[in-house]
Amino acid sequence: MPVLADNDGHLTMDTIDLRSDTVTWPTPAMREAMANAPVGDDVYGEDPTINQLEAEAAAMLGKEAALFVSSGTMGNLTAVLTHCGRGQEMILGDLAHIFRYEAGSAAAFGGIQPHTLPVQPDGTLKLEDIQAAIRGENEHFPRTKLICLENTQGSVGGVPITPEYTAQVGQIARDNNLKLHIDGARIFNAAAALNVPVQELVAPADSVSFCLSKGLCAPVGSILVGSKDFIYEARRTRKALGGGMRQAGVVAAAGLIALREMTTRLADDHANACALAEGLAKIPHIEIDPSRVRSNMILFRFAESLPISIEELVTRLKNDYNIVMGGYANGRTEIRLVTHYWITRDRVDHVIHAMRELLT
Ligand code: TLP
């Protein structure tokens, strides 16, 4: 996600940082848990905090096993490399994070060919497109192995994907002997937005990766879940990628708090995103449809009538109001703002106030 302006590297806890939920600081409870975490060597399987985190994560997602990885990108890459061999194909959206923002890692490290389909405004891939993209057996064709969905779908504005749709894609996968992976970086946001248990959202998937380090506030880490056999293989893949960690219980301790305490409060972030969008909609030169806000993301445009350049506006927001604003989404046509734990309602009000002062 390209950023609008470089910050000077001096962001403080007072800064209102709307660029992403990846910017969230760990909470005081997380820092304390990290300091006191029991640890061991996780490559030997001996870190009690990691083992606890993996067990709780698997149970929460309704899968047999889990693997702690360093990032969402590593979770997705580990999954894709475990499911697919060289020269094989994965079907995924043309706006998928795996396709757009993961440095071509599946191609670079796995020789895996992406077969992209247009992401619809509701975040889905058309079922008929998926069906048509699956290759038949023919020596000319790559073999299709995997379908990837993203939930919430980031590039269309954090749209949650329903369990009904996911079940339909899961059925197509099973009928064609394919695997289904969900990039669930924000799967708990999706569950909160749809008000359904997270297990239901991911039940049709063979693997799911989700991030502890976004709206859940942990400083580092993601989790990959799936069957015992899949996670056994994924552990080898992670090792091959250099992702085997040692006394990483220090960071997993924050992950446990993320899972236990932060997954239940995400509706607050969604309500704040709605309030922010509604406030911005009343300000001149801003084009926004608040009804598009479905989770913790807001996409909007500045009108051509904007009296100052976007770069100048961003600089003034930072210098005069301590607000760090978004990145471009969708090829510089829209700007993205993301709410999270540190964007409280009074901070939302401050952002609306600042924008109104600068634009009227
Ligand atoms: N997304 C980041 C940027 O990379 C764009 C953000 O600010 O939203 N899947 C999805 C759907 C993601 O949004 C992200 C991060 C990832 C995977 C990768 O996670 P990390 O950054 O931990 O590798």
Side-chain angles (χ1 to χ4, degrees):
M1 183 73 47
V3 290
L4 281 167
D6 288 336
N7 68 67
D8 56 10
H10 291 103
L11 304 185
T12 67
M13 297 287 268
D14 298 332
T15 305
I16 300 173
D17 194 342
L18 292 158
R19 289 172 301 171
S20 182
D21 47 11
T22 61
V23 302
T24 42
W25 277 288
T27 63
M30 286 179 178
R31 289 181 190 264
E32 199 185 324
M34 291 170 80
N36 297 316
V39 295
D41 190 320
D42 182 50
V43 174
Y44 292 118
E46 289 173 0
D47 188 304
T49 311
I50 298 226
N51 291 342
Q52 183 68 26
L53 175 65
E54 290 178 344
E56 288 191 27
M60 273 180 92
L61 275 281
K63 301 292 182 195
E64 284 176 3
L67 184 71
F68 183 58
V69 293
S70 64
S71 67
T73 301
M74 186 175 257
N76 286 331
L77 179 60
T78 303
V80 167
L81 291 180
T82 306
H83 287 305
C84 304
R86 298 189 74 79
Q88 296 183 334
E89 208 166 51
M90 61 175 170
I91 295 171
L92 77 177
D94 58 353
L95 302 178
H97 195 277
I98 294 177
F99 181 60
R100 280 179 125 191
Y101 295 124
E102 298 188 5
S105 55
F109 304 118
I112 296 156
Q113 176 157 291
H115 187 147
T116 58
L117 301 175
V119 172
Q120 304 302 306
D122 67 357
T124 64
L125 308 175
K126 284 187 182 162
L127 296 176
E128 58 268 34
D129 287 355
I130 297 177
Q131 199 75 60
I134 299 169
R135 312 278 186 176
E137 186 58 30
N138 180 312
E139 72 177 39
H140 296 85
F141 297 161
R143 284 194 166 129
T144 310
K145 279 283 161 177
L146 179 67
I147 304 171
C148 299
L149 296 177
E150 185 175 312
N151 198 3
T152 60
Q153 173 62 55
S155 297
V156 291
V159 176
I161 307 298
T162 64
E164 294 77 20
Y165 171 80
T166 308
Q168 286 176 300
V169 176
Q171 191 60 49
I172 294 178
R174 276 192 302 283
D175 291 347
N176 292 279
N177 204 19
L178 309 179
K179 301 293 182 192
L180 172 61
H181 172 70
I182 298 180
D183 174 359
R186 298 181 179 84
I187 198 71
F188 287 100
N189 292 87
L194 296 168
N195 200 20
V196 295
V198 72
Q199 295 96 316
E200 212 177 295
L201 276 185
V202 302
D206 298 284
S207 60
V208 185
S209 56
F210 70 91
C211 295
L212 301 162
S213 61
K214 297 193 167 58
L216 305 184
C217 279
V220 180
S222 289
I223 301 274
L224 181 61
V225 297
S227 68
K228 274 193 184 129
D229 289 348
F230 169 79
I231 291 297
Y232 179 82
E233 289 303 318
R235 210 175 152 85
R236 287 185 64 89
T237 310
R238 183 188 69 169
K239 191 79 182 82
L241 292 171
M245 292 178 274
R246 303 295 179 177
Q247 289 73 31
V250 167
V251 277
L256 273 171
I257 293 182
L259 271 190
R260 291 172 185 166
E261 294 173 22
M262 307 304 273
T263 50
T264 53
R265 55 153 305 283
L266 295 170
D268 293 351
D269 298 340
H270 303 176
N272 283 336
C274 286
L276 181 53
E278 276 156 19
L280 293 179
K282 297 191 187 108
I283 296 173
H285 315 296
I286 291 182
E287 293 175 352
I288 186 169
D289 175 2
S291 71
R292 273 178 76 194
V293 176
R294 299 290 309 282
S295 61
N296 66 334
M297 289 187 190
I298 297 170
L299 296 180
F300 72 95
R301 289 186 173 81
F302 286 113
E304 300 232 330
S305 57
L306 189 72
I308 54 176
S309 74
I310 297 179
E311 286 68 24
E312 194 183 335
L313 180 75
V314 168
T315 305
R316 291 198 55 194
L317 281 168
K318 173 70 178 66
N319 294 346
D320 302 348
Y321 298 93
N322 207 11
I323 295 167
V324 181
M325 205 180 71
Y328 285 109
N330 303 328
R332 297 175 76 93
T333 59
E334 293 187 295
I335 288 167
R336 183 184 78 160
L337 305 180
V338 187
T339 57
H340 50 76
Y341 180 80
W342 298 100
I343 306 294
T344 49
R345 185 57 69 96
D346 57 320
R347 290 181 166 197
V348 166
D349 293 341
H350 178 71
V351 175
I352 296 166
H353 165 79
M355 286 285 227
R356 191 180 298 116
E357 277 198 345
L358 288 171
L359 294 180
T360 44

